[in-house]
Amino acid sequence: MSQAPSEIQRAPITPESREAEPRHERTPTAPGAPSTVTKAAPARAAAPAPAKRRDAYFDNVKYLAIVLVAVAHAWEPVMDGSRTTRALYMVVYTFHMPAFILVSGYFSRSFDMSSAKVKRLVTGVVVPYVLFETAYSLFKRYAGGVDDTPITLLDPLFLTWFLIALFIWRVTTPIWQSLRHPLPVALAIAALASVTPGITDDLDLQRVCQLLPFFVLGLLMKPEHFQLIRRREVRMLSLPLVAGALLFAYWVSPRMGLGWFYRSNSAQEMDFQWWAGPVMTLAMFACALLLTVAFLSWVPRRPMWFTVLGAGTICGYLLHGFLVKGAGYYGLFDRYEWLTGPVGLVVVSLVAAAAVTLLCTPPVRRVLRFATEPDMNWAFRKSPAKR
C-alpha cells in the first residue's frame, strides 16, 4: 500500500515562540479613566513557523493494518484443510484493505492537482509502482522459475495493485469532491463492475472499481467522525460484532468462495448469476465498514512503541511480499507439513508480524528511500516563486 501522509497538528507553543510574539503594554491613566493600549512592541525576530508533528493515532492505524495484511498473506499457504484458519482469513480480508484505503482517502482530501501534489504523487506512488512491479516480475521469473513472466506495467503483480489503484483514486479526487452524492455514485460503479466480466486485467481495474467506495468514504470523513469512532460505546459494541463475524465466518467458510473478498472478478467469472454481483457488493461494503469501525475504535490514540513504524508502512507493504512469495517458491510449506497445523498457524503469524515490523523500521525506510521517496527535483519544473 502507498503510504498516505499522516495527519498533522500544530505543535504546542514553546517558550521561545511565545517570547517572539508582540507584547502589549498599558499606559498610566487617570483614576476612573478607561485604560488604553499602546501599539505592540516590535518583535525581536520573526518567529519560525510552528513545527508540525504526526498524529500518533493514524500511525498506529497504519502499522496495525499492515501487520494484518502481512499475516493474512502468510496464512494463504497454510489454511487449506483448516476451517478455523480459513474463517480468520475471511474476517481479516473483509476489512484490512478497506481500512487502509479509507485512511488513504481521508489523507487525500487536500489533493488538488497542484504541482507540489502531483510531484508527490509521482515520487511516492508512480515510481514505487514501476520499480516494484518490475522487481516482482523478475523475482517470479528467476526465483519462482516462471521463465515466461512478462515485465509489464499494465498487469499489476501480487500486491502492487494497490499503488496503481491509489494513483487512479487520487487523481480522480477533484471529481469526487465536486459531486453532490459521491458515495452512492461510487457504490453504483462498484456494483456495475461486479457484473461486467469484460473489464480486463489491465491496471487491475476490476479491483479499482470495486474498492472505490472505501476511498470515496475516506474523502468524506472529517476529524470528528474519528472522534466518534473512538468513543467507549463504539468499542463495547464492537466486541459482540467481531465475535458474531467470527462465528458467521466459521459457519460459512466451507460454503463461500474467497473470490468475493479479493474483489478482482465479476460475479459471472466466479460462476454466479449476474444479480449476485450488486447484492454481494453492498453486503461486503456493509460488513467491511462495520469491521473497519470496530478495528479503528480499538487502535490506541496515544504514542506506542510501534507508532514510529507507521511512517514506514510503505516499506513493510512492498517488501513483505518477497518473503511470502519466496517461502512459496522455496517450498517451505510443503517441506514442513506441521506448519499447516494449529502450532504452525501461530508460528507463521508471529514470524509474519515480526518480519513486517522489522521492514517498517527507520533504518529500512532510509535504505529504501531511493525507491519509495526518491528526490526527483531534476525531473520537475521549478515553481515560479522559486525561479
Side-chain angles (χ1 to χ4, degrees), residues 53-356:
R53 54 191 174 93
R54 300 178 68 93
D55 189 303
Y57 172 75
F58 288 103
D59 276 338
N60 293 341
V61 169
K62 290 191 291 181
Y63 167 74
L64 294 175
I66 204 63
V67 168
L68 290 176
V69 170
V71 170
H73 281 156
W75 283 346
E76 291 178 6
V78 300
M79 67 181 182
D80 287 342
S82 174
R83 187 173 179 177
T84 300
T85 308
R86 186 181 175 90
L88 289 172
Y89 180 86
M90 292 170 67
V91 171
V92 171
Y93 246 83
T94 299
F95 77 92
H96 71 338
M97 285 310 297
F100 226 126
I101 295 167
L102 185 146
V103 172
S104 298
Y106 177 71
F107 287 113
S108 298
R109 294 171 301 161
S110 62
F111 186 83
D112 54 6
M113 294 298 288
S114 64
S115 58
K117 299 293 175 59
V118 170
K119 177 184 176 182
R120 184 166 187 174
L121 182 65
V122 171
T123 57
V125 178
V126 176
V127 171
Y129 172 71
V130 172
L131 295 178
F132 280 89
E133 175 64 20
T134 302
Y136 272 105
S137 299
L138 294 174
F139 190 65
K140 184 177 180 180
R141 178 184 296 181
Y142 296 109
V146 185
D147 297 334
D148 60 347
T149 302
I151 299 177
T152 173
L153 301 180
L154 295 179
D155 188 7
L157 188 63
F158 195 31
L159 46 71
T160 58
W161 70 266
F162 177 73
L163 293 176
I164 196 64
L166 183 60
F167 173 80
I168 296 172
W169 293 331
R170 193 162 284 174
V171 296
T172 59
T173 292
I175 297 176
W176 301 113
Q177 291 180 328
S178 66
L179 295 178
R180 180 169 296 179
H181 304 293
L183 186 57
V185 174
L187 285 170
I189 291 175
L192 289 173
S194 70
V195 298
T196 310
I199 296 179
T200 66
D201 293 333
D202 291 349
L203 302 182
D204 218 343
L205 289 178
Q206 186 69 256
R207 189 174 280 167
V208 171
C209 292
Q210 292 198 36
L211 288 169
L212 172 64
F214 299 102
F215 183 82
V216 173
L217 179 60
L219 291 175
L220 300 175
M221 296 283 284
K222 296 179 180 179
E224 51 264 32
H225 295 141
F226 288 96
Q227 293 292 338
L228 181 64
I229 288 173
R230 297 196 297 249
R231 293 181 60 177
R232 184 176 182 274
E233 295 88 340
V234 178
R235 291 199 300 271
M236 293 300 102
L237 288 173
S238 69
L239 295 178
L241 171 68
V242 173
L246 290 170
L247 290 174
F248 179 77
Y250 185 83
W251 173 76
V252 80
S253 60
R255 307 170 179 84
M256 186 175 182
L258 296 176
W260 295 113
F261 299 90
Y262 302 143
R263 299 174 172 87
S264 58
N265 293 294
S266 64
Q268 296 93 320
E269 291 173 297
M270 294 185 289
D271 297 325
F272 288 94
Q273 295 293 325
W274 70 267
W275 55 263
V279 171
M280 288 300 297
T281 295
L282 296 177
M284 292 295 294
F285 177 78
C287 292
L289 183 58
L290 290 174
L291 289 175
T292 295
V293 170
F295 167 69
L296 295 176
S297 70
W298 281 98
V299 173
R301 67 186 72 183
R302 65 183 185 280
M304 307 290 289
W305 66 266
F306 53 79
T307 301
V308 68
L309 304 178
T313 51
I314 181 65
C315 300
Y317 179 80
L318 292 173
L319 291 178
H320 85 274
F322 290 107
L323 301 180
V324 175
K325 287 295 184 183
Y329 295 153
Y330 182 68
L332 181 66
F333 302 103
D334 295 329
R335 296 186 183 191
Y336 304 100
E337 295 183 0
W338 63 272
L339 290 174
T340 60
V343 175
L345 173 63
V346 175
V347 171
V348 167
S349 302
L350 292 176
V351 170
V356 77

Side-chain angles (χ1 to χ4, degrees), residues 9-18 21 49-53:
Q9 298 176 341
R10 299 182 70 88
I13 299 178
T14 60
E16 292 78 13
S17 61
R18 223 181 253 118
E21 294 177 352
K52 296 180 179 180
R53 54 191 174 93

